[in-house]
Amino acid sequence: MTSGGAKHPEFEGISVLVVDDDYYQATDAADAFAKVGATVIGPCGHVDQALASIESTAIDCAVVDLNLGFGASFDVPRCLKNRGIPLLIVTGYDESMLPPDLKGTSWLDKPVHRTALVRTMAQALRDACGALKIEHPGRTWSADQKAPALRLSTTGAQWRRHLPSGVRDGHNDRLWCGWISGSL
Amino acid sequence: MTFRSDDSPDERTRAEAALRESEERRELALEAAEMGTWDYDLVGNVCHFDERARKLYNLSSGSLDHRPEGVTAVVHPDDVGPMFDEIRKASDVDGDGRYEIDYRIAQTDGSYRWLRAWGKAKFEGEGPARRAVRIVGATRDVTNEKTARALRESEERLRAFGEASQDVLWIRDAETLQWEYLTPAFETIYGVSRERALAGDNLAQWANLIVPEDRAHATSQIVRVRDGERVSFEFRIKRPSDGEIRWLRDTDFPIRDPNGKVVGIGGIGHDITKDRRAADRQEMLTAELQHRVRNILANIRSIIGRTAGNGAAISEFRDHLEGRLAALARTQSVLTRSPGEGVDLEVLVREELLAQAADEKQFTVSDSRVRLASKAAEAVTLAIHELATNAVKYGALVQPSGRIDIAWRTEPRNGVTWLVLDWIERGVSIAPDRASRQGFGTELITRRIPYELRGTGTMDLRTDGLHAEIAFPVEGAVDSLSARDDGKART
C-alpha cells in the first residue's frame, strides 16, 4: 500500500467518482485516489447509485467498471460521456466489447495496480483538457495543456473561473453546461 | 375399290372423279396434320415414303423406296432396338397388328428430332401360312410436345422443391424488380402471407420488413445482381406478426436470357437467426469467462493485500490466504457445476464448516431451501469461511461447551423480500483481547455485504459468544423460484 505515494498535484480538489461492484476493488481504487489528494465520490456498486451520484454531485472524472453484477452495462459510461466528464474504464472484459459510441475511451484491464490507475486517470484528465476548444462568436479560446487541470463539473460553475470574461457574458450556468458538453 | 372393264364410260368417269376427290381430301388432311405416310413391304423388305415422310426422316428425296438399313442409319442408336421390337410385335399373327413408336431421328445438323409413327400390319394367308406382308402408317414430328412436356415436368419438380424448401426461393423481374415467384417458406420466416407480400410494389414492401439499419445495404445488393453480379449478404427483418427480429442470409444471382441479358434475379433466403444467436451466445460466454477470470485475479490481489495488511507473521498470513483462496475455489466449483442455477445455501454453509473440520455435534444448520445467485454466494461463502475460521481459533468450535446455530429465514422489508442469516455461538468464554479485533472477517460482514448486496451485516460479541447477522434483499441475490418462505430452522 506504499505504491500510491507518487505525487499527483493535478488531483488536488478534483472529485473522482469510483464505480465498481466489487467491494475490495472499489475500496482499493477509492483509497488510491484519496491518497493523491482527490475527493472520492462513492464508491458505487450499483448502476442506479452511480447515475444518482452523477446527477447530484459535481464530478470531475470517473473510474468505472463495466460489470455491475448483471453482465456488461454501458449506462454509466454513456451518462458520463454525454456530460463530457473524462472517464477511465477498468474491467475484466476485453476492449473489443465496447460499443462504437464508447470506442476510444481510456481503458485498463483488471487486475489493475493503483499506480497505473492514478497515472492513467491523470492522463485522461489532461487529454480532456487538451482536447477542449471553446468557441464563441467573435473569439476562439483553447485550453493550454500546461495549465492547471481544468475543473470539469456538471454544473459548469467551475469552468467559468477558467474562461475569458467575454465568453462568460450573457450565459447562465445551465446554458454553459449544455454548451460545453456539446463542444467537447 | 376396283374397276371392272365392263363399267360404262360415264360410270368410270364418275368413279375416277370420286377417287380423285377422296385422295385429295386425304392429302389435305395429312398435310394439315403435318403427317407423312409410309408403307413397309415386309416381303420385299423395302419401305416406301411419301414426300413429307422423307423430309421427316431426313432421307434423300431422290428415291421413294428405302431399304431398312437406310432407315436405321437415321434412327438414334438407342431407338433402333425398340423399333424392330415394335415391327415384330405388329407382325405377330396373334396380335392386333398395331404399330406405334416414338423415336429420335438424326437431322442434317447432327441434332435429333422426336417422331411418332402409327401403323397397322396387313396379313395374308390362312392357318400356318398366315403372315404379315406390309405395315402401312403415318408419322408426325412430336419434338415440341416432348420438350414442352419435359419442361413442364422439370418445372413441376423444381416447384415441388421450392414448395418444400425451408429457405425462401424467389425470382424477381430484372426490369420491374417485382417478385414473379415466391415460395411458402416466406410466410414462415417473414411472418407475412405470400398474397400480402406479392401485392402492390412488393420490392418496397419487402424493404419495409428489413430493419432500417440494414435496409439500404440489402436493396443495393438487389441492384448489383440486376447489373450481373452474384451476391451473398446478411440482414435483419422485423416480423410484423410478432415483432421478432430474424437474421437472414440471401444468396442472389442473375438469371440471363440466351443472349446473356439479365432478365431476372433469383434468390435464396436462409434464416440464420439460430446460428447468429448461437454465435452471439458463444461470444457472450467467452467475454463473461474472460471477465470472471480477470475479476478473480483482481479479487485475489485484493485478498492478498488485506490478508497481509494486519502485519501478522508469514505462516499465519499463508494459512489465512490459503483458507480464503480455498473458500473462493469452492464457490467457483459449485457455481460452475450448475451454471445459472445458483448455489444451495445449506450445502454452502455445511461445506465451509466441514472444511474447518468442525464436529457436527457442535452445530446446527437451517434446512430451509434457498439458492443464492453467484454474487451473493461468493460473499456469503467467504463470510461463513471467516466465521468458521474464527470459531475454530477462538470461538465455539475450539471450546467443548461451544455450540453454533446457523439459521436463516426470508422476510419482507419495505416491500422487498430479504434473506436474514444468523450465526449464533453459545457457551463460549470470551478472551479479553477478542473484542478489539477488526479483521478481514469483520470488514467482509459489516462492509462488503452491505456494499455488494445492498444489505446489512453485524458482528456482536456477546458474553457467551459471537452473534453475527447477514441480511440482504433476495431480488437478484436468490433465485426467487426456489426461495421458500417457510423460514423453519432445524434446531
Side-chain angles (χ1 to χ4, degrees):
Chain A
M1 303 259 171
T2 53
S3 45
K7 282 284 159 273
H8 283 276
E10 60 262 61
F11 281 104
E12 289 295 333
I14 287 280
S15 59
V16 184
L17 172 70
V18 176
V19 183
D20 196 317
D21 70 323
D22 185 280
Y23 169 77
Y24 296 138
Q25 291 163 50
T27 49
D28 284 353
D31 186 57
F33 284 110
K35 284 233 165 67
V36 294
T39 307
V40 173
I41 312 293
C44 300
H46 305 272
V47 174
D48 57 336
Q49 289 172 346
L51 294 178
S53 291
I54 297 167
E55 192 64 46
S56 64
T57 323
I59 290 164
D60 295 323
C61 59
V63 52
V64 179
D65 179 17
L66 289 182
N67 185 323
L68 299 180
F70 303 96
S73 155
F74 304 105
D75 293 351
V76 176
R78 280 205 176 107
C79 178
L80 290 162
K81 194 173 167 135
N82 289 342
R83 285 164 187 260
I85 299 171
L87 73 141
L88 167 61
I89 293 172
V90 176
T91 181
Y93 286 116
D94 194 80
E95 201 171 348
S96 61
M97 178 87 176
L98 272 190
D101 61 318
L102 289 173
K103 286 266 187 281
T105 306
S106 299
W107 179 284
L108 279 176
D109 287 334
K110 281 188 180 181
V112 62
H113 195 272
R114 55 169 55 209
T115 309
L117 186 67
V118 168
R119 199 193 304 125
T120 315
M121 189 74 257
Q123 186 58 48
L125 259 175
R126 277 196 298 276
D127 289 349
C129 292
L132 184 73
K133 190 178 174 195
I134 296 171
E135 287 173 8
H136 186 264
R139 61 194 299 182
T140 301
W141 183 87
S142 294
D144 182 354
Q145 248 180 294
K146 290 187 191 112
L150 279 167
R151 301 293 189 260
L152 310 177
S153 83
T154 51
T155 63
Q158 288 166 299
W159 279 96
R160 297 176 64 183
R161 290 193 284 136
H162 294 269
L163 293 173
S165 55
V167 181
R168 196 187 310 142
D169 288 345
H171 293 279
N172 62 28
D173 283 359
R174 203 172 167 72
L175 274 173
W176 271 120
C177 177
W179 189 67
I180 288 170
S181 55
S183 60
L184 262 172
Chain B
M1 195 172 303
T2 52
F3 303 117
R4 284 175 306 192
S5 55
D6 55 346
D7 285 345
S8 74
D10 269 6
E11 280 177 347
R12 190 178 296 175
T13 312
R14 249 193 329 273
E16 280 172 356
L19 180 62
R20 256 199 321 277
E21 206 178 309
S22 157
E23 275 189 342
E24 198 177 294
R25 197 158 46 231
R26 194 172 59 224
E27 178 55 27
L28 277 170
L30 287 167
E31 191 186 333
E34 297 178 323
M35 281 178 152
T37 61
W38 44 266
D39 184 348
Y40 181 21
D41 176 359
L42 294 165
V43 181
N45 198 20
V46 67
C47 196
H48 171 86
F49 294 89
D50 74 2
E51 186 65 28
R52 266 192 306 276
R54 279 201 308 279
K55 275 195 183 129
L56 286 168
Y57 283 94
N58 195 28
L59 298 165
S60 64
S61 53
S63 160
L64 292 180
D65 298 331
H66 290 271
R67 311 290 300 173
E69 304 86 72
V71 179
T72 52
V74 296
V75 176
H76 190 284
D78 293 349
D79 297 341
V80 172
M83 181 183 76
F84 283 112
D85 288 347
E86 192 65 16
I87 291 170
R88 250 191 306 280
K89 200 190 97 200
S91 315
D92 183 355
V93 291
D94 296 326
D96 61 1
R98 282 191 186 283
Y99 174 87
E100 185 178 340
I101 188 168
D102 289 359
Y103 42 33
R104 284 157 291 180
I105 301 300
Q107 304 298 302
T108 321
D109 65 1
S111 68
Y112 283 91
R113 295 195 69 82
W114 278 99
L115 300 190
R116 181 169 300 157
W118 298 267
K120 186 99 168 79
K122 194 170 183 308
F123 296 95
E124 279 180 3
E126 293 299 328
R130 186 174 164 81
R131 58 173 187 156
V133 290
R134 56 202 280 223
I135 304 171
V136 182
T139 295
R140 190 175 190 279
D141 187 327
V142 291
T143 311
N144 290 344
E145 284 102 306
K146 283 265 186 195
T147 46
R149 193 170 153 208
L151 200 64
R152 205 163 50 241
E153 279 171 3
S154 125
E155 209 164 75
E156 268 161 22
R157 264 200 306 273
L158 282 180
R159 197 168 292 272
F161 272 116
E163 300 286 306
S165 169
Q166 292 192 351
D167 291 346
V168 198
L169 312 186
W170 51 263
I171 298 172
R172 283 183 191 281
D173 183 282
E175 194 91 19
T176 63
L177 297 181
Q178 299 295 303
W179 269 323
E180 300 177 325
Y181 173 66
L182 187 64
T183 58
F186 184 85
E187 302 191 2
T188 326
I189 295 172
Y190 283 76
V192 175
S193 76
R194 259 199 292 185
E195 291 70 41
R196 272 195 56 199
L198 290 168
D201 179 355
N202 62 48
L203 178 70
Q205 289 207 30
W206 169 71
N208 277 336
L209 296 170
I210 302 170
V211 300
E213 303 94 290
D214 297 352
R215 195 173 295 154
H217 180 67
T219 46
S220 73
Q221 299 303 302
I222 302 291
V223 175
R224 282 177 59 191
V225 182
R226 190 187 56 193
D227 296 342
E229 273 183 74
R230 293 179 69 99
V231 298
S232 179
F233 59 100
E234 293 177 3
F235 59 99
R236 286 160 293 174
I237 56 149
K238 188 174 183 190
R239 295 157 53 113
S241 51
D242 51 11
E244 197 192 328
I245 300 286
R246 297 202 81 84
W247 272 97
L248 275 133
R249 182 186 298 124
D250 252 29
T251 307
D252 303 347
F253 53 91
I255 298 169
R256 297 170 190 276
D257 70 6
N259 301 320
K261 186 182 168 226
V262 177
V263 289
I265 298 167
I268 302 162
H270 181 57
D271 188 338
I272 53 164
T273 314
K274 266 188 193 159
D275 308 358
R276 274 274 178 174
R277 283 191 190 142
D280 285 352
R281 189 173 155 69
Q282 185 68 44
E283 203 174 298
M284 191 269 283
L285 288 175
T286 312
E288 287 302 323
L289 179 66
Q290 186 175 38
H291 170 262
R292 188 181 278 194
V293 169
R294 287 182 179 169
N295 220 45
I296 288 170
L297 287 173
N299 241 318
I300 291 170
R301 160 173 257 158
S302 297
I303 289 172
I304 293 171
R306 279 170 165 76
T307 307
N310 62 10
I314 192 82
S315 62
E316 198 186 339
F317 166 75
R318 192 198 59 210
D319 288 349
H320 276 302
L321 190 59
E322 279 178 355
R324 284 163 192 163
L325 290 185
L328 203 61
R330 276 193 294 277
T331 332
Q332 291 305 320
S333 74
V334 179
L335 283 173
T336 45
R337 208 179 294 156
S338 48
E341 285 178 29
V343 180
D344 187 286
L345 182 55
E346 187 187 349
V347 172
L348 181 158
V349 170
R350 285 190 180 278
E351 279 193 9
E352 282 317 307
L353 284 161
L354 294 176
Q356 299 298 325
D359 181 349
E360 285 201 62
K361 286 194 285 293
Q362 284 191 287
F363 65 86
T364 65
V365 178
S366 170
D367 63 356
S368 144
R369 255 179 66 79
V370 167
R371 294 190 83 84
L372 297 182
S374 57
K375 199 171 167 170
E378 211 172 288
V380 172
T381 303
L382 271 179
I384 299 293
H385 169 78
E386 293 302 320
L387 290 168
T389 312
N390 277 336
V392 165
K393 268 193 150 175
Y394 321 102
L397 296 177
V398 78
Q399 299 179 18
S401 57
R403 293 285 179 275
I404 311 173
D405 293 322
I406 303 123
W408 53 84
R409 63 185 188 276
T410 51
E411 65 179 41
R413 290 190 186 177
N414 300 322
V416 183
T417 307
W418 281 55
L419 174 74
V420 182
L421 183 147
D422 285 301
W423 172 287
I424 300 166
E425 295 185 25
R426 289 196 184 88
V428 183
S429 59
I430 307 296
D433 67 324
R434 245 193 101 184
S436 60
R437 290 181 56 86
Q438 286 289 313
F440 185 89
T442 309
E443 186 189 24
L444 177 66
I445 288 165
T446 62
R447 297 191 188 277
R448 181 174 167 180
I449 299 247
Y451 182 84
E452 291 187 1
L453 306 179
R454 310 185 105 162
T456 58
T458 55
M459 297 271 275
D460 182 13
L461 196 58
R462 296 179 183 175
T463 47
D464 66 339
L466 178 72
H467 182 174
E469 186 186 90
I470 295 167
F472 52 88
V474 296
E475 194 191 333
V478 181
D479 301 340
S480 50
L481 273 178
S482 47
R484 280 191 289 122
D485 218 351
D486 54 10
K488 289 279 186 307
R490 191 176 62 200
T491 47

